[in-house]
Amino acid sequence: MYIIATYRQSLNLELAVARLEEQGLGKANIMAVPLQCQRTSAHVLASIQDTDGVGLIGGSLAFGTVTMVLATIYGFVWYGGPIVWGLIGLFCGTGLWLTGSIIFRQRKWGKNGACNTGFGQIVLIIRCEPSELQAVKNILSDNMAQAIGILER
């Protein structure tokens, strides 16, 4: 029987492995696989299924709307009228947000995309007997495993 758990690289992972070894599972029965981070590109439109908070359209349209409202309000006083200044505010606000988010994304992530965060994912695969199943699950959940799965073979 195999138990598969995912962790972020942290002290909790080290504590879980140490407690599993104290439980009697040898190093031959515990396998930790670090996952390599894939370079992600900025999505223009973030969908509900794979949203990661880096969509460009939503934030830029919201900022464009705010600047449009402000420009429309002041457009009653400025030469040209509220409609012209509202459109100018919409286009300038949207462009400003897009430019700022692209520059910020390049500075924050650099060449490796989101991989520079320093928090890698680790998959922990444990081979155990069915009698040890509940004890191993308790150890993993006590040490804050992100997900736990069981494969019966």
Side-chain angles (χ1 to χ4, degrees), residues 52-129:
D52 55 354
V54 294
L56 297 176
I57 297 294
S60 64
L61 290 180
F63 191 72
T65 302
V66 169
T67 55
M68 178 187 67
V69 169
L70 292 173
T72 303
I73 291 170
Y74 288 109
F76 282 104
V77 179
W78 295 338
Y79 177 75
I83 294 175
V84 171
W85 282 106
L87 291 173
I88 291 171
L90 175 67
F91 293 124
C92 289
T94 303
L96 185 67
W97 183 273
L98 282 173
T99 305
S101 63
I102 289 171
I103 290 171
F104 176 73
R105 185 172 290 121
Q106 287 176 349
R107 284 188 181 168
K108 180 181 174 188
W109 289 344
K111 290 192 291 186
N112 293 331
C115 296
N116 286 341
T117 58
F119 298 109
Q121 292 282 335
I122 306 289
V123 176
L124 195 62
I125 303 171
I126 301 141
R127 183 175 174 213
C128 67
E129 297 297 323

Side-chain angles (χ1 to χ4, degrees), residues 2-3 7 13-33 122-128 136 139-140:
Y2 293 95
I3 299 177
Y7 278 94
L13 171 66
E14 303 296 331
L15 291 173
V17 171
R19 286 189 58 197
L20 288 170
E21 288 178 354
E22 287 175 2
Q23 186 73 18
L25 295 170
K27 289 185 180 185
N29 293 332
I30 301 171
M31 180 171 40
V33 181
I122 306 289
V123 176
L124 195 62
I125 303 171
I126 301 141
R127 183 175 174 213
C128 67
V136 172
I139 290 171
L140 294 175

